[in-house]
């Protein structure tokens, strides 16, 4: 029940992070009516800053909040973070202007990484050293289910009843998570005596930086493809728009499978899981690129790509817990800073290669390079670890 409680919060985070992408036209027409009437494309582009501000909040909030709360009991921290997520998403519903909605999206991103990081630490302690990956996967399952069910459903509700309806659902989900975390997450002492300055010492560990780079660059391959699924389907494959939700469900279903597979494999070997999964991510990016002109084959390739992409994340999470030494709370939270940097990097580079005239399949080809770059960084990190004889992740 403790794992389920934290997974429900993860479901809410998945919805609030990704549902905006499908509702940008509705948000732009409501909050930027004059700009939307003059040029819908420019207004939608302006509304896209809401996604960037949320990601910025994740990147900044994950290490900062984790460092501040590391000395407090972890069960109470989980309750406080769920409450913050509830409040800031509820404010998104109530904010009357674009500027205030933008502020609320930034604030809603701040607890994101700290929530996942603290949940990963609690899950690891609940299940013990031999099932850490499975515990992390259980918590992360909420995020993957959100991509299969929550985001499509929230997008539909937002299109029918107004974009704010989607965030009403998100707020309700966080209210449920808050009550369940209060009821079911058992007492977990924090690192008593830890200070903010001591926690920031994690940034003096070279292996932490290398692991962040693996997530930011290697996992950027996933977002290079994910961000442009709609154009892959409608432009590269020439399929009608109604196929896009089917492709997204296939990708999300692959993520759901990959999440639990990655948790199991990471419990066997974090190192091998990272190396094999990054290689698989490169291979499946190539598969998506080759099969892009064929609609049915593309949807199947996106499922396989989702599996490969999500296998990576539990391994990166455990790797950060291993190399962060005594800085467990901030080390776990940094995983989501790294992944959101990968989100921004993959989306930006994917858009750049399309804008440069390389075609709508170009982001998939780009994904090969990013995944292989992450694989090289992982190999360098493991080689450096062997040289200085730091105990490796089991």
């Amino acid at each position: 029940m403790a794992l389920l409680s934290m997974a429900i919060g993860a479901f809410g985070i998945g919805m609030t992070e990704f549902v905006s992408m499908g509702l940008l036209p509705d948000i732009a027409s409501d909050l930027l009516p004059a700009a939307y009437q003059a040029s819908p494309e420019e207004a939608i582009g302006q509304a896209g800053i809401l996604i960037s501000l949320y990601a910025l909040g994740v990147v900044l909030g994950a290490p900062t909040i984790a460092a501040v709360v590391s000395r407090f009991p972890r069960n109470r921290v989980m309750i406080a973070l769920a409450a913050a997520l509830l409040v800031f998403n509820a404010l998104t519903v109530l904010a009357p202007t674009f500027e205030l909605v933008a502020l609320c999206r930034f604030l809603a991103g701040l607890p994101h990484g700290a929530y996942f990081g603290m949940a990963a630490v609690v899950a690891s302690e609940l299940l013990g050293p031999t099932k850490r990956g499975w515990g992390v996967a259980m918590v992360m399952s909420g995020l993957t289910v959100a991509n299969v069910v929550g985001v499509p459903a929230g997008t539909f509700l937002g299109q029918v009843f107004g974009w704010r309806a989607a965030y009403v659902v998100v707020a309700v989900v966080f209210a449920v998570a808050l009550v369940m975390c209060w009821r079911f997450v058992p007492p977990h002492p924090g690192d008593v005596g830890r200070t903010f300055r001591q926690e920031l010492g994690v940034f003096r560990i070279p292996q932490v930086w290398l692991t962040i780079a693996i997530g930011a660059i290697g996992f950027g391959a996933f977002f290079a493809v994910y961000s442009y699924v709609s154009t892959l389907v409608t432009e590269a494959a020439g399929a009608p728009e109604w196929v896009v939700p089917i492709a997204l469900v296939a990708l999300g279903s692959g993520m759901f499978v990959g999440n639990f597979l990655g948790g199991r494999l990471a419990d066997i070997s974090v190192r091998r899981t990272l190396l094999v999964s990054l290689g698989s991510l490169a291979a499946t990016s190539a598969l998506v690129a080759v099969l892009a002109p064929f609609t049915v084959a593309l949807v199947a390739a996106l499922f396989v790509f989702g599996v490969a992409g999500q296998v990576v994340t539990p391994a990166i999470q455990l790797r950060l817990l291993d190399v962060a030494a005594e800085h467990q709370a901030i080390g776990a939270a940094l995983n989501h800073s790294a992944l959101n940097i990968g989100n921004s990097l993959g989306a930006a580079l994917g858009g750049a290669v399309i804008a440069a005239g390389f075609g709508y399949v170009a982001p998939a080809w780009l994904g090969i390079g990013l995944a292989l770059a992450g694989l090289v960084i992982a190999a360098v990190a493991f080689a450096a670890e062997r040289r200085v004889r730091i105990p490796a992740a089991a």
Side-chain angles (χ1 to χ4, degrees):
M1 291 303 295
L3 292 173
L4 175 62
S5 303
M6 295 185 290
I8 290 173
F11 179 91
I13 289 176
M15 276 196 70
T16 194
E17 181 175 17
F18 295 115
V19 78
S20 301
M21 297 177 182
L23 294 174
L24 285 182
D26 304 87
I27 295 172
S29 63
D30 179 41
L31 298 178
L32 302 167
Y36 190 81
Q37 288 180 0
S39 173
E41 291 82 4
E42 290 185 11
I44 291 170
Q46 184 178 344
I49 195 175
L50 300 178
I51 298 172
S52 301
L53 284 171
Y54 183 91
L56 178 63
V58 176
V59 172
L60 296 178
T64 306
I65 295 176
V68 170
V69 303
S70 62
R71 61 193 180 92
F72 297 106
R74 288 167 182 161
N75 56 311
R76 295 182 183 177
V77 171
M78 291 301 304
I79 295 169
L81 291 172
L85 287 161
L86 166 60
V87 169
F88 294 140
N89 280 281
L91 289 176
T92 299
V93 177
L94 301 174
T97 66
F98 179 79
E99 291 75 16
L100 288 175
V101 169
L103 175 62
C104 292
R105 296 313 296 150
F106 172 75
L107 293 174
L110 291 175
H112 172 131
Y115 179 94
F116 273 121
M118 190 61 68
V121 173
V122 172
S124 298
E125 292 177 351
L126 281 172
L127 296 186
T130 61
K131 292 185 178 181
R132 296 183 309 154
W134 183 251
V136 170
M138 285 291 290
V139 173
M140 291 294 292
S141 67
L143 182 64
T144 57
V145 171
N147 278 279
V148 179
V149 179
V151 174
T155 301
F156 174 76
L157 288 173
Q159 291 171 341
V160 175
F161 299 105
W163 66 269
R164 295 179 193 271
Y167 289 99
V168 170
V169 175
V170 169
V172 171
V173 170
F174 283 127
V176 173
L178 171 61
V179 173
M180 290 191 67
C181 285
W182 170 77
R183 174 65 180 83
F184 294 111
V185 177
H188 278 260
D191 296 324
V192 181
R194 301 293 296 177
T195 66
F196 181 81
R197 185 174 180 178
Q198 286 175 322
E199 284 300 307
L200 293 183
V202 73
F203 293 109
R204 292 195 293 268
I205 303 173
Q207 286 291 337
V208 168
W209 284 106
L210 287 169
T211 308
I212 291 172
I214 294 169
I217 297 174
F219 200 66
F222 179 80
F223 286 106
V225 175
Y226 189 4
S227 302
Y228 300 97
V229 167
S230 60
T231 52
L232 272 172
V233 171
T234 58
E235 302 297 334
E241 286 189 352
W242 59 264
V243 178
V244 174
I246 297 174
L248 288 172
V249 169
L251 180 57
S253 300
M255 292 171 64
F256 181 79
V257 173
N259 176 59
F260 286 104
L261 178 61
R264 287 296 193 192
L265 293 175
D267 280 331
I268 297 171
S269 172
V270 172
R271 283 187 172 197
R272 287 198 295 271
T273 301
L274 268 178
L275 295 174
V276 172
S277 61
L278 288 167
S280 300
L281 187 57
T284 53
S285 293
L287 186 67
V288 169
V290 171
L291 297 179
F294 313 103
T295 303
V296 175
L298 173 61
V299 171
L302 287 171
F303 172 82
V304 178
F305 177 79
V307 173
Q310 201 62 27
V311 167
V312 178
T313 55
I316 295 175
Q317 181 72 85
L318 292 189
R319 176 69 180 172
L320 275 169
L321 285 172
D322 289 333
V323 300
E326 72 271 19
H327 313 281
Q328 290 289 285
I330 190 171
L334 283 171
N335 181 42
H336 296 276
S337 292
L339 298 186
N340 273 269
I341 293 171
N343 187 343
S344 300
L345 180 67
L349 292 178
V353 294
I354 292 175
F358 291 104
Y360 291 104
V361 182
W365 295 115
L366 171 70
I368 301 171
L370 290 173
L372 291 177
L375 181 61
V376 170
I377 296 170
V380 169
F382 298 148
E385 191 174 54
R386 284 193 295 270
R387 283 199 300 270
V388 297
R389 295 182 180 180
I390 297 176

